[in-house]
Amino acid sequence: VLDAARAARNLPDVHAGRDVLLWTHSQGGQAALFATQMAKQYAPELAVEAVAVAAPAAELGPLMVGHMNDISGVTIGAYAFDAYQRAYASTTPGLTLDNVLTPAARQALPKMVPYCLLTQSKEIHAIGQPLVGNFFAGDPTKIEPWATLLIKNTPGRAPIGVPVLVAQGESDTLVLPATTDDYVQKLCSSGEHVQYHRYADIDHGLVGWRAVPAVIPFFADVVSGRTPASTCSTSTTAEPATPPGTLPNAIPTP
């Protein structure tokens, strides 16, 4: 995420400055939150001014546990465990798939990970569906070193220090609303400046689109030097869903 901003500054005739606003969705939300908390050390030449995330995969452990017995846990778990094994095996003693995945899951992993979930869901689900209920050998949040790696990759272990907007659809069955509620509460309890929006009848795929009318004024406040409103001291209620076939206010119609 931060390297992308660095690269933009090196493109001729783009004239990209040092101020950065991050706006992402789902796994990208986890990446943006992490990028914000590490920006001063990793990319001191940049100034991340604010971050907005929609349905961020922020609480990795609870999300993993919440999907242990459904197809999302199998498909996304396949990607996650394969990636962690590749990234950490050489530096993490005792890291093995044997204690966290069943033999059937380990056998299926090489067949599943080449597929793209967005464009080849039919293919990956055909492999993964028979593994529902027989994918995990145990709870990865209680099995080391997997438990430590999940915590290590969960944002919140360092201050964010800039205004944060979080959006969550209440009909989201992938990034479960309760996990986002818990993450926002942790941010507020640690003194972060958070604006939280929950949307009734909005699922995972649409929450980024639905949140744009909130994100635009949030960023406008930051750019103009104003402090965006915070919901940390108030009870956040669900905002109504946009009627089907309409665009939220502040999104120009093509």
Side-chain angles (χ1 to χ4, degrees):
V1 172
L2 297 171
D3 285 345
R6 284 172 154 174
R9 298 182 72 205
N10 291 328
L11 294 174
D13 303 321
V14 170
H15 308 296
R18 68 186 297 268
D19 296 339
V20 178
L21 301 173
L22 298 177
W23 162 227
T24 60
H25 171 246
S26 194
Q27 184 182 359
Q30 185 259 10
L33 292 166
F34 238 111
T36 306
Q37 72 183 38
M38 68 185 293
K40 290 182 179 179
Q41 290 74 36
Y42 184 82
E45 73 276 21
L46 302 176
V48 177
E49 301 288 346
V51 56
V53 294
E59 294 285 351
L60 297 182
L63 281 173
M64 187 74 72
V65 172
H67 288 295
M68 285 183 66
N69 293 306
D70 62 31
I71 188 62
S72 295
V74 173
T75 54
I76 297 176
Y79 294 138
F81 287 112
D82 178 74
Y84 277 38
Q85 181 75 11
R86 292 173 185 269
Y88 294 114
S90 63
T91 58
T92 307
L95 186 68
T96 173
L97 294 172
D98 294 355
N99 62 356
V100 74
L101 299 183
T102 64
R106 299 197 301 272
Q107 186 177 3
L109 219 62
K111 303 174 185 177
M112 297 177 69
V113 294
Y115 288 114
C116 173
L117 187 58
L118 293 179
T119 60
Q120 297 172 305
S121 60
K122 182 178 179 180
E123 291 85 348
I124 194 172
H125 283 174
I127 301 171
Q129 192 64 51
L131 294 170
V132 173
N134 188 38
F135 185 78
F136 293 91
D139 182 345
T141 65
K142 299 178 181 178
I143 299 172
E144 293 293 355
W146 296 100
T148 295
L149 291 176
L150 285 169
I151 293 172
K152 182 178 179 181
N153 283 276
T154 296
R157 299 171 71 230
I160 292 178
V162 299
V164 183
L165 182 145
V166 180
Q168 176 67 46
E170 295 197 341
S171 296
D172 194 331
T173 58
L174 186 58
V175 172
L176 305 175
T179 65
T180 304
D181 290 347
D182 289 345
Y183 178 68
V184 169
Q185 183 58 50
K186 290 179 182 178
L187 289 180
C188 289
S189 297
S190 64
E192 301 287 358
H193 190 92
V194 187
Q195 187 178 120
Y196 188 26
H197 298 263
R198 293 184 302 183
Y199 298 100
D201 301 321
I202 293 293
D203 62 11
H204 189 72
L206 290 178
V207 65
W209 162 79
R210 180 63 184 88
V212 168
V215 175
I216 291 174
F218 173 79
F219 280 154
D221 281 343
V222 172
V223 170
S224 65
R226 298 187 297 269
T227 302
S230 170
T231 58
C232 280
S233 60
T234 62
S235 176
T236 305
T237 57
E239 301 177 31
T242 301
T246 66
L247 289 171
N249 296 333
I251 302 181
T253 303

